[in-house]
Amino acid sequence: MRRIDALLLDRWDRDPDLPALISGPTVVSMGELKERVLRTAAALRAHGVGPGDRVVVHHERSVEFFVALLGAAFAGAAHAALDPGDPLERVRATTRDCAPRIVLTDARLAERFEGLAEVLTDEECAAYPAAAAPALDASPDDPVVIIYTSGSTGRPKAALISHAALASRLDALQSTHRMDERDRMIHHTACSFDMYLSETYWPLLAGAAIVVAEPGRQRDADYLAALIRDHRITTFYCVVSLLDLFLLARDPAERYDGLRQVLTGGEPLAPDLVARFHARSTASLTNLYGPSECTIYCSYWICPRDPDPATVLIGGPVQGTELHVLDDAGAPVPEGEPGELYIGGAGLGLGYLHRPELTAERFVTTPHGRLYRSGDLVRAAGPGGALEFLGRVDRQVKIRGIRIEPAEIEATALSCAGVGQAAVVAHGAGADKALALFVVPEDGAPPPGELGPSVRASLSARLPRALVPRTVDVLTALPLTANGKLDRALLEKRAAAVPAPRPAAPATGDLGALVVAVWRDVLAVDAIGPDDDFFDLGGDSFKVVRVVETLRDRLGLDIPLAALLHEPTPRAFTEELRRVREAGE
């Protein structure tokens, strides 16, 4: 298996005039992308970067983002892409853990890394003279990507992915879902979710064009629909919850027959959603499954066109992959019986950065070879041994495609002032799945009415939005079972309790009060300040739809979904509604 940089170079030299990136009015050809990437690689090499080094990429979704991460690969380094939307403390802590040789970012974000690492801006890289591809003493087994995921020890863990593993997965995608120069694919997945790799490398290697979504608009169904239509998108990936939002938010009569293939995953895919998608598009729908440690995905299932499907499977192994369903003793389970999924083959990651004990725990040597212990329960339930996902063997949860270790949130909560004990549970299902934190105050802590909001504010400043619990409840003691263990079932029941009835929404004359009342109903929270963030309060794409549809009915206005996505505080959203109302008068 060859290295990714060598494969890209062959592709770009073969068709330098093909469009590679389309970002708003900007079109970057493959030849132009090659030149910019090699300039960045030359800048990195001049600053001492080479094989075995790590580079942090910290850019909004843009042409510069792609140039930076590809430049790192061509310099021989592995990149770790850190989301500019994450809290500053999280970005700095992850950078310290990564210990990069250099950080690639733009000038306005450079100060975030003061005292941590040397910084190169895209302007500085662009000033370097054009250069040939560097001759590297490097191997396909070298790491090319570092993916940070939530960690059960209280800090994120970083999975190392090699050139060979990434190339293998891209080859597998191309073998079953072929793209060529006639295709276009949207890049909209956040760099905290490993599918951004397929949205980057797959179209570039296939000769297809990447259509770059604007930062912050990946949840905007209207915007994505316009991109699909205006750019004649043929291949589209989105997590299950976004696919559901997309169908809910758009006109039920609207069809998407221009799409040729849609890939989804990250969460359980409901049969009803499959049926609703097939009713509105001739495109194929593929359910992908796989942890980051095994490079994007390791199994797939092309959903049959059944008008009333009974179940959705995660399918069988992709090309070059081995899947083993084993019991607690490491022996194969009988077909149809549940067991833990172990994954091996060409896409297997190298392990975890700086975490040898965790690597040894999860990447295990078995009679079947070196395998990754996924922690997922599955069973053979379909033709040819196609697998069905049954749940987790540990506490890890997924909410809107993001892997979350409750222990990481608990450890962060315990470091907050006034917290003596902490426990996190997940409750609900599908779009309503959420996290709840329960804390017990230590001596001298503020009163409960102050401690809960204080802890939530501290978590919001230190954790990515997906890891911030929707609610923080202060208890005098955590409940225990008869044998003295934490009673998580009781906490889940308490977290899922129906909220108290809320006052009726005020008349539409008081627009700000109406906005707050609707938010309270949809978010099931009592207190909302004028500058509270909708998403920090537990909002998600589905709740955006509910808020906007409610206000459309109450106000008689054509309110775009993007209004709330772009202005997620009551104060700013109310002003945006006033502008919409004035424009319609």
Side-chain angles (χ1 to χ4, degrees):
M1 186 63 68
R2 299 174 65 191
R3 288 172 55 92
I4 288 293
D5 46 356
L7 294 171
L8 286 170
L9 205 58
D10 285 352
R11 176 78 253 188
W12 293 342
D13 287 343
R14 192 157 69 245
D15 295 293
D17 296 327
L18 285 178
L21 303 173
I22 301 171
S23 181
T26 301
V27 179
V28 179
S29 71
M30 292 194 174
E32 292 166 338
L33 180 59
K34 171 189 171 183
E35 180 182 345
R36 292 185 62 174
V37 167
L38 292 182
R39 286 180 189 273
T40 297
L44 290 170
R45 297 283 283 171
H47 284 76
V49 174
D53 287 329
R54 296 177 293 278
V55 171
V56 161
V57 173
H58 194 61
H59 276 285
E60 298 281 7
R61 190 181 304 106
S62 59
V63 170
E64 289 72 25
F65 169 78
F66 295 98
V67 171
L69 66 89
L70 295 171
F74 273 79
H79 83 264
L82 305 186
D83 193 337
D86 281 350
L88 176 58
E89 185 174 334
R90 176 75 164 206
V91 170
R92 289 180 62 84
T94 307
T95 302
R96 281 191 291 270
D97 181 78
C98 183
R101 174 65 68 111
I102 213 159
V103 173
L104 288 175
T105 188
D106 63 41
R108 68 184 178 85
L109 298 175
E111 65 180 14
R112 294 184 170 198
F113 301 94
E114 186 176 353
L116 293 180
E118 183 179 1
V119 173
L120 263 181
T121 67
D122 46 275
E123 295 90 348
E124 291 172 319
C125 291
Y128 268 74
L136 299 175
D137 181 16
S139 162
D141 294 324
D142 289 341
V144 65
V145 177
I146 303 168
I147 299 287
Y148 275 89
T149 65
S150 184
S152 60
T153 62
R155 64 186 176 101
K157 55 183 181 291
L160 296 170
I161 305 301
S162 70
H163 283 261
L166 181 56
S168 169
R169 284 294 183 259
L170 299 170
D171 188 48
L173 270 171
Q174 184 69 350
S175 69
T176 56
H177 295 75
R178 183 174 178 78
M179 283 200 293
D180 58 30
E181 62 273 8
R182 295 166 294 183
D183 288 293
R184 290 184 172 185
M185 184 175 189
I186 296 177
H187 191 295
H188 67 100
T189 299
C191 61
S192 54
F193 186 37
D194 60 7
M195 277 303 299
Y196 85 92
L197 297 170
S198 64
E199 292 177 344
T200 300
Y201 291 99
W202 181 22
L204 290 178
L205 288 175
I210 299 171
V211 177
V212 184
E214 292 180 18
R217 303 197 70 180
Q218 61 269 19
R219 293 186 296 253
D220 187 339
D222 294 343
Y223 171 73
L224 292 176
L227 281 186
I228 290 170
R229 179 188 65 244
D230 297 344
H231 290 281
R232 301 184 303 281
I233 299 299
T234 61
T235 302
F236 183 47
Y237 174 84
C238 62
V239 295
V240 169
S241 54
L242 180 58
L243 180 62
D244 200 3
L245 166 69
F246 190 84
L247 296 181
L248 288 172
R250 302 293 298 168
D251 186 333
E254 187 173 44
R255 294 192 59 81
Y256 304 99
D257 293 329
L259 288 168
R260 186 168 59 81
Q261 49 191 4
V262 173
L263 302 95
T264 191
E267 303 161 273
L269 178 59
D272 171 69
L273 179 53
V274 174
R276 285 189 286 121
F277 174 80
H278 280 154
R280 294 174 64 178
S281 178
T282 57
S284 63
L285 179 65
T286 302
N287 189 30
L288 304 181
Y289 160 85
S292 299
E293 290 86 347
C294 297
T295 315
I296 308 173
Y297 80 124
C298 62
S299 74
Y300 74 102
W301 195 59
I302 300 176
C303 303
R305 283 192 167 272
D306 186 335
D308 188 23
T311 189
V312 177
L313 306 178
I314 61 171
V318 304
Q319 173 182 292
T321 297
E322 302 169 11
L323 303 180
H324 301 272
V325 185
L326 308 179
D327 62 19
D328 292 341
V333 302
E335 187 165 345
E337 293 296 315
E340 185 175 354
L341 180 61
Y342 288 69
I343 304 162
L348 194 62
L350 299 171
Y352 297 110
L353 179 67
H354 307 318
R355 308 285 284 276
E357 298 85 1
L358 185 59
T359 298
E361 176 186 331
R362 306 305 297 185
F363 292 84
V364 296
T365 301
T366 75
H368 309 285
R370 182 173 179 265
L371 303 176
Y372 174 70
R373 186 176 184 177
S374 72
D376 287 335
L377 282 174
V378 300
R379 67 178 175 188
L387 299 177
E388 178 184 8
F389 175 78
L390 301 175
R392 291 288 300 176
V393 299
D394 55 21
R395 293 181 57 210
Q396 185 187 104
V397 297
K398 271 196 173 184
I399 297 181
R400 289 173 288 284
I402 303 297
R403 281 168 55 179
I404 297 170
E405 295 280 3
E408 179 178 1
I409 306 168
E410 291 166 352
T412 307
L414 286 171
S415 69
C416 296
V419 176
Q421 293 178 282
V424 171
V425 296
H427 61 97
D432 291 324
K433 193 169 188 178
L435 297 169
L437 169 64
F438 296 88
V439 299
V440 175
E442 60 185 2
D443 291 342
E450 296 178 15
L451 181 59
S454 171
V455 169
R456 196 173 190 285
S458 181
L459 296 179
S460 296
R462 299 163 66 183
L463 295 174
R465 179 175 291 160
L467 274 66
V468 178
R470 179 181 297 176
T471 58
V472 178
D473 200 352
V474 181
L475 306 177
T476 56
L478 294 176
L480 303 177
T481 63
N483 60 6
K485 294 184 178 180
L486 179 65
D487 193 338
R488 295 190 181 277
L490 186 60
L491 290 180
E492 290 170 7
K493 183 177 179 180
R494 175 166 180 156
V498 178
R502 306 186 185 284
T508 59
D510 189 346
L511 190 57
L514 175 64
V515 165
V516 170
V518 172
W519 283 29
R520 280 180 13 216
D521 285 336
V522 170
L523 296 171
V525 297
D526 290 309
I528 297 178
D531 296 310
D532 284 348
D533 188 284
F534 182 82
F535 298 99
D536 287 344
L537 293 170
D540 55 36
S541 301
F542 299 93
K543 292 180 175 63
V544 168
V545 174
R546 288 170 58 189
V547 165
V548 170
E549 288 184 344
T550 299
L551 289 170
R552 282 171 178 169
D553 291 341
R554 292 293 302 273
L555 299 171
L557 292 177
D558 183 15
I559 305 168
L561 287 175
L564 180 50
L565 295 168
H566 294 162
E567 306 290 354
T569 68
R571 192 194 308 274
F573 182 53
T574 299
E575 288 304 312
E576 181 63 21
L577 292 185
R578 288 196 177 101
R579 285 190 286 270
V580 171
R581 185 161 60 185
E582 290 169 2
E585 292 177 349

